[in-house]
Amino acid sequence: VEALGHLLPDSHLFLGEQATTQAFLQEGESSRWIHIATHALFRADNPLFSGLLFSDGWLMAHDLYPLRLNCELAMLSACRTGVSCVEPGDELFGLVRGFLTAGVRTLGASLWSADDNTTAQTMSRFYQEMLAGKSGLEALRTTQRAIRESSPHPYYWANFILIGSRL
């Protein structure tokens, strides 16, 4: 996250004890891009209780529903943030639905456990590509191809996806 702060000099960083749910709630509604790097938990038994761990506790998927996050991109660089559970009526529930319901236009999420080193490389390269003018899809594709060169197993380069409108 600190490396991303250098790439995005006007960003607001909340590290360690400063990374609270309250800080997220205060800054999230007015942020163009949101990046959350923390631990995540997917609950297949009750996907609305899937969550992101902040320093003061968990932000659950159901906590996102009343929010209005008018942002272009929210990137969740934590393990299994893109996993959803199919409920009756073919409805998908989990963090993805929570963030999209809150108004995030594009959500970046992971489909399985994230390797810390490759995730850091992926996020830095992804934002560099975005800042160079590439669309989100182009930036992710370019980033994944670059990571695949040094780490050919899909576990390392293929876990992040973009969901929502085109960025």
Side-chain angles (χ1 to χ4, degrees):
V1 171
E2 289 175 351
L4 298 180
H6 295 299
L7 286 174
L8 307 164
D10 294 331
S11 60
H12 299 125
L13 293 180
F14 299 96
L15 305 171
E17 293 300 315
Q18 297 175 329
T20 64
T21 54
Q22 190 61 36
F24 168 75
L25 295 172
Q26 286 178 343
E27 294 291 325
E29 291 188 357
S30 61
S31 297
R32 178 178 168 220
W33 289 352
I34 297 171
H35 185 95
I36 301 174
T38 187
H39 294 287
L41 173 68
F42 174 71
R43 296 252 326 251
D45 65 319
N46 192 342
L48 290 177
F49 284 89
S50 298
L52 298 167
L53 182 60
F54 286 83
S55 67
D56 61 344
W58 289 91
L59 178 73
M60 304 293 183
H62 67 80
D63 296 327
L64 296 164
Y65 282 74
L67 301 182
R68 291 297 161 245
L69 302 174
N70 187 27
C71 72
E72 293 175 19
L73 170 69
M75 179 62 77
L76 308 179
S77 64
C79 298
R80 299 172 41 103
T81 52
V83 177
S84 296
C85 186
V86 179
E87 295 292 328
D90 292 333
E91 296 286 338
L92 294 174
F93 286 92
L95 288 169
V96 170
R97 184 182 181 116
F99 273 93
L100 294 177
T101 299
V104 170
R105 290 189 286 287
T106 304
L107 180 69
S110 65
L111 296 175
W112 54 79
S113 297
D115 174 73
D116 288 341
N117 292 330
T118 347
T119 297
Q121 293 170 21
T122 298
M123 293 302 122
S124 291
R125 179 71 182 256
F126 173 76
Y127 285 108
Q128 288 171 8
E129 299 291 340
M130 292 278 293
L131 293 170
K134 291 187 177 175
S135 72
L137 294 175
E138 292 173 311
L140 184 60
R141 181 175 45 250
T142 302
T143 298
Q144 288 175 327
R145 286 180 175 164
I147 299 296
R148 188 174 62 192
E149 292 289 322
S150 60
S151 302
H153 194 282
Y155 169 79
Y156 296 102
W157 60 265
N159 62 327
F160 285 96
I161 58 172
L162 293 177
I163 302 165
S165 64
R166 292 188 176 201
L167 176 67

